[in-house]
Structure formats: structure tokens, C-alpha cells
């Protein structure tokens, strides 16, 4: 379990940094421009297709890992869409 010990506001660089108490290891950095940088693995909530379709009030940009399809899915504001490894 990760225990967050510090939230640091770096005024010089315009960033908020979330650190653990272990050697002040940085985990999440939020820049003033809104870009979020994670120093650890991000794990999406694993849900089946049935569980995803039963979610109440998803917002555009919500993401889950669909265990039925073994794919990441994102809500576009209207419907859930699969993300796959097809070339752009």
C-alpha cells in the first residue's frame, strides 16, 4: 500500500507534486498547464462489459479495463468505445 506523505507546490516550476514518505519518491506531478505525469503504473478499474454498461452517469473521458474484451474502453460522452492497437 502506498501512503502519500507530502503534497508539494513547486512555485518556481508551477507544479504540484505528490510524494510518498519513502525517500520523497515522486508519484504524480501536475503541471500548471494541466498535464499530469505519473511516475508509477496506472491501473484502470477492471470491469466486465455488463458492469461497464451498468455504470451510472459516466463522463466523457472516463476509462476502464474491459475484462470481457481484454481492452481499455473510454466513454466519449455518448457511448463506450474500445481502444485497440490498430494503426492510426
Amino acid at each position: 500500500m502506498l501512503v502519500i506523505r507530502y503534497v508539494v507546490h513547486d512555485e518556481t516550476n508551477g507544479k504540484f507534486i505528490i510524494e510518498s514518505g519513502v525517500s520523497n519518491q515522486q508519484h504524480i506531478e501536475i503541471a500548471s498547464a494541466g498535464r499530469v505525469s505519473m511516475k508509477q503504473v496506472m491501473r484502470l478499474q477492471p470491469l466486465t462489459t455488463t458492469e461497464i454498461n451498468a455504470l451510472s452517469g459516466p463522463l466523457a473521458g472516463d476509462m476502464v479495463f474491459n475484462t470481457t474484451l481484454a481492452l481499455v474502453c473510454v466513454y466519449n460522452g455518448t457511448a463506450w468505445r474500445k481502444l485497440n492497437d490498430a494503426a492510426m
Side-chain angles (χ1 to χ4, degrees), residues 3 5 8 13 17-18 21 25 29 32-33 40 46 50-51 61 69 76 79-80 82 84 87:
V3 177
R5 300 280 186 211
V8 179
N13 296 311
I17 301 169
I18 298 174
Q25 184 178 10
E29 180 178 292
S32 59
Q40 303 291 319
T50 301
E51 292 170 324
L69 304 173
N76 68 6
W80 287 98
K82 299 178 278 189
N84 61 37

Side-chain angles (χ1 to χ4, degrees), residues 7-82:
V7 177
V8 179
H9 180 213
D10 179 352
E11 291 184 37
T12 304
N13 296 311
K15 299 178 182 178
F16 284 97
I17 301 169
I18 298 174
E19 300 176 344
S20 69
V22 181
S23 303
N24 293 339
Q25 184 178 10
Q26 293 184 0
H27 296 281
I28 301 173
E29 180 178 292
I30 305 169
S32 59
R35 177 170 283 166
V36 175
S37 173
M38 300 183 75
K39 311 295 184 198
Q40 303 291 319
V41 173
M42 181 178 76
R43 184 156 302 175
L44 298 174
Q45 183 172 356
L47 298 171
T48 65
T49 299
T50 301
E51 292 170 324
I52 293 167
N53 289 329
L55 291 174
S56 176
L59 300 175
D62 285 355
M63 295 174 63
V64 295
F65 182 78
N66 185 317
T67 57
T68 305
L69 304 173
L71 290 172
V72 172
C73 293
V74 63
Y75 191 72
N76 68 6
T78 304
W80 287 98
R81 296 293 183 213
K82 299 178 278 189

